[in-house]
Amino acid sequence: MIGLFHRESMVAFLVTVGFVLLVIVAALYDSVQTVREGELKALLVFGEMEAVLEPGLNVVPPFVSKTYPIDPQTMTIDAADDRIAVPSEFESDVQAAADR
């Protein structure tokens, strides 16, 4: 009886540790965004634009953020099925990044 209880608690512990590790790996995977050379992306967190992502690896908040390509010529964000104007407070960031 004591050995069975110990085995059940060990299984529960291992399942819990496995789940926690899975969540950590998913968060790490979701928090790194790669932007290719010559591209710019808009970082939206909870639907609001937070930053302009430049080429390279970028760290973003996991699970609550999305990235969309930016067209610096027209100052628009190419969202899923719509084109959205870049907010005016980010236009200078887009222009500076496009000039590099």
Side-chain angles (χ1 to χ4, degrees), residues 29-98:
Y29 179 78
D30 198 42
S31 68
V32 177
Q33 292 287 324
T34 303
V35 179
R36 293 188 177 127
E37 194 65 36
E39 289 184 343
L40 295 175
K41 289 195 175 184
L43 171 65
L44 280 71
V45 178
F46 294 114
E48 297 291 323
M49 187 164 172
E50 294 292 323
V52 175
L53 302 180
E54 296 186 32
L57 290 177
N58 296 275
V59 178
V60 300
F63 308 121
V64 296
S65 61
K66 292 189 179 215
T67 59
Y68 297 104
I70 296 175
D71 182 351
Q73 306 299 328
T74 60
M75 287 292 179
T76 55
I77 300 167
D78 298 326
D81 53 346
D82 198 12
R83 292 178 72 93
I84 305 165
V86 171
S88 58
E89 63 265 24
F90 291 102
E91 287 180 0
S92 60
D93 295 340
V94 171
Q95 192 61 46

